[in-house]
Amino acid sequence: QVQLVESGGGLVQAGGSLRLSCAASGSIFSINRMGWYRQAPGKQRELVATITSGGRTNFADSVKGRFTISRDNAKNTVYLQMNSLKPEDTAVYYCNEVGSTYYGDAFDYWGQGTQVTVSS
């Protein structure tokens, strides 16, 4: 079993910053891809950013230049640094980690979600 625990959401004014963290624990052998997605009220969940085990990153156009994704492989943790936040960034943010366990099983797990609210 693999568990993901998110932290770092909250309320911030437009132009401010927040840092999200997502730590994975359990029988983890490797994590191939870590990512962040978000879902605003009435909208579908969308990709925010992903990072591979080799450090390759991918960002949604709407956050390029404002958000940074990084990972600490030793801690099985992925971070999302969000700067210059806008009201349209308001959403529930979910982390996602894809990898394999020591038993050879593939996994694709989601965090519980953390609310980010940006006031204008």
Side-chain angles (χ1 to χ4, degrees), residues 72-116:
D72 184 333
N73 291 328
K75 297 180 179 180
N76 291 327
T77 299
V78 60
Y79 305 96
L80 184 69
Q81 178 66 44
M82 304 184 292
N83 299 326
S84 302
L85 282 160
K86 305 175 180 180
E88 50 264 44
D89 294 318
T90 296
V92 178
Y93 283 69
Y94 298 90
C95 69
N96 172 253
E97 301 194 7
V98 178
S100 59
T101 70
Y102 282 110
Y103 306 105
D105 299 322
F107 66 81
D108 183 346
Y109 281 102
W110 292 85
Q112 79 279 8
T114 186
Q115 177 71 46
V116 171

Side-chain angles (χ1 to χ4, degrees), residues 1 11 13 29 32 40 49 52 58 80-81 84 87 89 101-102 114 117:
Q1 280 283 38
L11 172 65
Q13 288 188 333
F29 175 71
N32 301 322
T52 68
N58 181 46
L80 184 69
Q81 178 66 44
S84 302
D89 294 318
T101 70
Y102 282 110
T114 186
T117 303

